[in-house]
């Protein structure tokens, strides 16, 4: 890991959005789409909310209106489900500071269209949680193998144990694993 850290430099995470609900909606919208197409659909979707994107505003619109922005049925239903679960407190976005990482992941994966990976990326990039170790992420596994000069990628289970030495800063180690996949490292 020292080679990666020396080659890459200081950790730099992109700025979070101002609103966690908007960040999750964006994640759902962008799933499995190319960047330009996702950005266009997301932009049209946001234009539906002249008074701002909120769970109540989403629930006030029919699914067909959401779909008119270019969302697939499954994405529209997922965003509606997110709005419902934020409204009923299943996903406590107004009080995320008091919820543990594990509990928040458990609550987020109850939302249609949000899996463990999306929940972990939310913790890292939106909430800036420092001890997230997304072992199912292919790039994390690949970056670990590159950093440690391994011939084969570690399994998620094996990588889970390896992350323990980085507690309580596993997010930092994850970031360096990601960077290892797109950095030419010295031999």
């Amino acid at each position: 890991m020292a080679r990666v850290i020396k080659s890459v430099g200081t950790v730099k995470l992109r700025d979070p959005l101002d609103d966690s609900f908007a960040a999750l909606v964006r994640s759902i919208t962008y799933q499995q789409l190319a960047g330009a197409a996702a950005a266009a659909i997301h932009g049209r979707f946001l234009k539906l909310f002249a008074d701002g994107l909120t769970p109540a505003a989403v629930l006030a619109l029919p699914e067909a209106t959401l779909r008119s922005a270019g969302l697939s049925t499954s994405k529209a239903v997922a965003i509606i489900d997110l709005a419902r679960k934020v409204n009923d407190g299943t996903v406590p976005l107004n009080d995320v500071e008091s919820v543990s990482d594990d509990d928040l992941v458990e609550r987020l994966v109850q939302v249609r269209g949000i899996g463990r990976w999306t929940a972990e990326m939310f913790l890292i990039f939106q909430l800036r949680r420092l001890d997230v170790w997304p072992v199912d992420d292919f790039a994390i596994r690949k970056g670990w193998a590159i950093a440690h000069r391994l011939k084969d990628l570690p399994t998620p289970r094996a990588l889970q144990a390896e992350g323990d030495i980085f507690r309580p800063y596993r997010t930092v180690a994850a970031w360096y694993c990601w960077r290892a996949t797109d950095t030419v490292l010295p031999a």
Side-chain angles (χ1 to χ4, degrees):
M1 289 295 278
R3 273 182 328 131
V4 176
I5 294 168
K6 186 175 181 179
S7 294
V8 174
T10 306
V11 172
K12 296 176 188 109
L13 295 176
R14 64 174 158 74
D15 290 334
L17 296 181
D18 291 336
D19 178 73
S20 290
F21 178 72
L24 288 167
V25 167
R26 184 182 188 281
S27 292
I28 291 168
T29 304
Y30 273 67
Q31 288 173 354
Q32 301 175 338
L33 290 176
I41 293 168
H42 188 247
R44 287 192 305 267
F45 174 79
L46 291 177
K47 286 180 182 176
L48 297 174
F49 304 96
D51 295 328
L53 177 62
T54 65
V58 167
L59 294 174
L61 292 178
E63 179 187 323
T65 301
L66 301 180
R67 293 203 55 230
S68 72
L71 292 175
S72 66
T73 300
S74 63
K75 287 183 185 197
V77 170
I79 291 169
I80 291 167
D81 191 43
L82 172 64
R84 283 187 182 129
K85 287 186 167 84
V86 169
N87 265 1
D88 73 15
T90 302
V91 176
L93 293 182
N94 292 331
D95 191 28
V96 291
E97 295 80 21
S98 69
V99 181
S100 73
D101 293 351
D102 290 339
D103 189 33
L104 196 50
V105 168
E106 184 179 309
R107 289 165 176 256
L108 285 167
V109 299
Q110 293 177 44
V111 175
R112 180 181 176 147
I114 296 180
R116 181 166 191 86
W117 184 85
T118 300
E120 290 171 337
M121 297 307 107
F122 176 75
L123 291 175
I124 291 171
F125 294 104
Q126 181 64 25
L127 301 182
R128 296 293 207 253
R129 298 283 177 99
L130 290 174
D131 197 31
V132 181
W133 189 230
V135 297
D136 293 315
D137 186 292
F138 178 79
I140 297 291
R141 294 172 52 222
K142 183 177 179 182
W144 183 270
I146 290 167
H148 293 87
R149 296 182 172 112
L150 302 175
K151 181 180 153 197
D152 297 317
L153 298 185
T155 64
R157 184 178 183 152
L159 192 55
Q160 186 69 48
E162 296 286 0
D164 287 343
I165 63 170
F166 298 105
R167 284 183 189 272
Y169 302 106
R170 293 179 299 170
T171 295
V172 174
W175 188 86
Y176 281 111
C177 286
W178 280 316
R179 296 295 62 83
T181 65
D182 61 11
T183 302
V184 176
L185 299 174

